[in-house]
């Protein structure tokens, strides 16, 4: 059954159990299709704010921005795939309120959509640049962020050979944008407040390596800098002044300052904390009729014995599948190990695990070879691995980290005379406590 179109301000009623999914990104699209595959018989409506079919976001800062991938290649699935799965895809729809008692959501246009089960896959939005000279009511036309396809299209339209781009933020998005802009012939300056790039997610060795790679490619990387003021002319940023007095001319500024969770409606409905929407291993919220998946969620990790929020496609897909299974009466907990990736220049960085709290980093391979691994340990316990141009070692590490492992002192991770799978095969598991 395909739900009929809803007129503005109309209340939509259904006679069958309706699954309404808010958010048409990786999590929402996967949840809709997976629920149908696993036996959800009633209507499924997938709501998205944007005017595009659900699409991949990782290429936005990479191939799409660099011009080597087009919009059509971004689509996660074709329209016919949603049609054949009897999923009504409604675009340009923004949720503003959840009424848990009456079990309906309200859209910005006043429409009420009733649900039997509701899935929140609302993702996030870019954190805005706050700096003297930025007027919240008059946004500079050349200050851009990267979260959506329209964002990437806007950035790409400003980039041309010789144009001066200033990137604010040395995280993955900032570095990927810098790499793509260099490929297009732009002049790039990258400003990072921390003492090194990737400071929040990687160790000094990886930061030093990526800083050197970007500098060699022509990026002017500045770390440990604070912004004093943004100078504008005719509604555009002309230059950025730092606290040390140095200024940088800018034809365009891209700010990559992290993400804020889209949880306003969920927060009012009592489903979110300051960190995001709380879910369990089945992607269930505290409301038995509501599940959630993706970047907007927080959950307890038995692997790391703490509450975490992951901004990653693999996590979004894992949580979406767990939610679909639970909705269809086939509960299967999700305990996937966190993993991520980043493409810059000819480098594929693959990361597995969470390195926060590490006290020792061991390198396997030389950074100068542009093919190496960084192992992060807390005592003898392996927490995470970063692999640069080593997909085989990444897969070995990913399998090993599915369960906590210890590495006794006699195990030498740096010794490449033995295959990594043989080295990690002798690592004993760690007993963990907490909620499994």
């Amino acid at each position: 059954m395909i739900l009929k179109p809803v007129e503005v301000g109309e209340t939509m009623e259904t006679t069958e159990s309706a699954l309404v999914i808010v958010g048409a990104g990786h999590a929402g699209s996967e949840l809709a299709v997976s629920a149908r595959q696993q036996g959800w018989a009633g209507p499924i409506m997938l709501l998205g704010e944007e005017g595009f079919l659900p699409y991949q976001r990782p290429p936005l800062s990479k191939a799409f921005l660099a011009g080597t991938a087009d919009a059509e290649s971004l689509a996660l699935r074709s329209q016919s795939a949603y049609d054949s799965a009897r999923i009504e895809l409604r675009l340009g729809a923004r949720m503003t309120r959840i009424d848990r008692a009456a079990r309906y959501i309200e859209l910005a246009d006043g429409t009420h959509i009733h649900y039997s089960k509701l899935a929140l896959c609302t993702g996030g939005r870019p954190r805005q640049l706050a700096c003297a000279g930025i007027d919240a009511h008059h946004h500079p036309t050349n200050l851009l962020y990267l979260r959506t396809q329209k964002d990437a299209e806007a950035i790409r339209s400003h980039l041309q050979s010789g144009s001066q781009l200033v990137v604010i933020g040395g995280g993955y998005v900032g570095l990927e944008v810098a790499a793509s802009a260099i490929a297009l012939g732009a002049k790039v300056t990258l400003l990072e407040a921390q003492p090194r790039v990737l400071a929040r997610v990687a160790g000094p060795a990886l930061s030093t390596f990526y800083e050197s790679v970007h500098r060699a490619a022509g990026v002017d990387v500045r770390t440990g800098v604070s912004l004093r003021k943004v100078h504008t002319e005719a509604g555009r940023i002309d230059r950025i002044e730092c606290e040390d007095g140095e200024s940088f001319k800018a034809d365009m500024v891209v700010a990559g300052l992290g993400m804020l969770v889209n949880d306003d409606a969920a927060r009012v409905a009592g489903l979110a904390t300051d960190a995001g929407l709380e879910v369990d291993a089945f992607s269930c919220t505290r409301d038995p009729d509501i599940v959630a998946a993706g970047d907007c969620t927080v959950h307890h990790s038995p692997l790391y014995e703490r509450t975490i929020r992951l901004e990653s496609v693999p996590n979004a897909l894992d949580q979406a599948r767990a939610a679909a299974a639970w909705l269809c009466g086939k509960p299967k907990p999700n305990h996937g190990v966190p993993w991520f990736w980043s493409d810059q220049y000819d480098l594929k960085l693959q990361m597995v695990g969470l390195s926060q709290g590490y006290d020792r980093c061991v390198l396997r391979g030389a950074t100068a070879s542009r093919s190496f691994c960084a192992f992060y340990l807390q005592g003898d316990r392996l927490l995470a691995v970063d692999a640069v141009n080593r997909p085989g070692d990444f897969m070995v590490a990913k399998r090993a980290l599915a369960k906590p492992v210890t590495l006794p002192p006699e195990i030498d991770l740096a010794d490449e005379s033995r295959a990594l799978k043989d080295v990690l095969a002798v690592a004993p598991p760690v007993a963990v406590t907490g909620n499994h």
Side-chain angles (χ1 to χ4, degrees), residues 99-141:
D99 189 320
R100 292 168 55 190
R103 293 203 297 189
Y104 72 81
I105 62 170
E106 183 175 331
L107 304 184
D109 63 12
T111 299
H112 288 186
I113 300 178
H114 286 265
Y115 63 83
S116 300
K117 299 293 182 182
L118 176 65
L120 301 176
C121 306
T122 50
R125 61 193 183 279
R127 188 182 300 276
Q128 302 293 293
L129 176 65
C131 181
I134 297 291
D135 185 340
H137 303 291
H138 300 90
H139 186 87
T141 57

Side-chain angles (χ1 to χ4, degrees), residues 160-415:
Q160 55 188 350
S161 181
S163 61
Q164 178 63 62
L165 167 65
V166 175
V167 177
I168 301 175
Y172 291 120
V173 169
L175 293 177
E176 289 168 0
V177 168
S180 296
I182 285 290
L184 293 172
K187 299 177 181 178
V188 182
T189 300
L190 187 143
L191 307 178
E192 168 56 49
Q194 296 293 318
R196 55 188 176 86
V197 303
L198 302 176
R200 296 178 182 85
V201 294
L206 203 74
S207 297
T208 299
F209 171 73
Y210 271 93
E211 285 178 22
S212 67
V213 167
H214 278 273
R215 289 192 174 105
V219 180
D220 183 3
V221 179
R222 305 295 183 96
T223 57
V225 297
S226 299
L227 306 187
R228 175 182 291 170
K229 187 176 181 179
V230 169
H231 297 266
T232 60
E233 287 187 8
R236 291 173 55 85
I237 295 175
D238 175 63
R239 61 187 175 91
I240 294 177
E241 182 183 355
C242 295
E243 288 290 356
D244 62 5
E246 189 167 9
S247 292
F248 299 92
K249 294 285 290 183
D251 296 315
M252 176 175 59
V253 177
V254 175
L257 304 172
M259 189 198 83
L260 297 175
V261 173
N262 288 331
D263 63 354
D264 292 350
R267 185 182 297 273
V268 173
L271 297 171
T273 67
D274 288 342
L277 281 73
E278 293 182 319
V279 298
D280 62 16
F282 302 97
S283 297
C284 300
T285 70
R286 63 188 64 177
D287 186 319
D289 293 321
I290 301 177
V291 296
D295 293 358
C296 63
T297 66
V298 292
H299 66 278
H300 174 78
S301 168
L303 188 62
Y304 293 97
E305 299 182 290
R306 67 176 186 268
T307 297
I308 61 176
R309 184 172 67 81
L310 300 174
E311 298 175 25
S312 79
V313 170
N315 177 67
L317 299 178
D318 288 345
Q319 287 189 325
R321 292 163 188 153
W326 183 84
L327 290 168
C328 296
K330 305 171 183 178
K332 183 178 180 181
N334 163 38
H335 292 313
V337 60
W339 67 277
F340 320 83
W341 77 92
S342 176
D343 295 326
Q344 300 167 47
Y345 308 109
D346 61 340
L347 304 172
K348 175 170 284 295
L349 170 61
Q350 295 169 291
M351 302 142 280
V352 59
L354 302 175
S355 61
Q356 289 87 345
Y358 80 95
D359 51 36
R360 183 163 57 102
C361 178
V362 178
L363 291 182
R364 182 181 178 88
T367 58
S369 71
R370 300 170 75 92
S371 174
F372 63 94
C373 292
F375 295 82
Y376 300 93
L377 299 103
Q378 186 179 59
D380 290 337
R381 179 179 170 182
L382 181 63
L383 296 179
V385 180
D386 295 337
V388 176
N389 285 349
R390 289 203 174 188
D393 283 354
F394 166 76
M395 291 305 300
V396 170
K398 187 170 180 284
R399 287 192 293 269
L401 279 166
K403 293 183 179 180
V405 295
T406 57
L407 294 168
E410 62 270 18
I411 295 180
D412 185 3
L413 289 167
D415 180 9

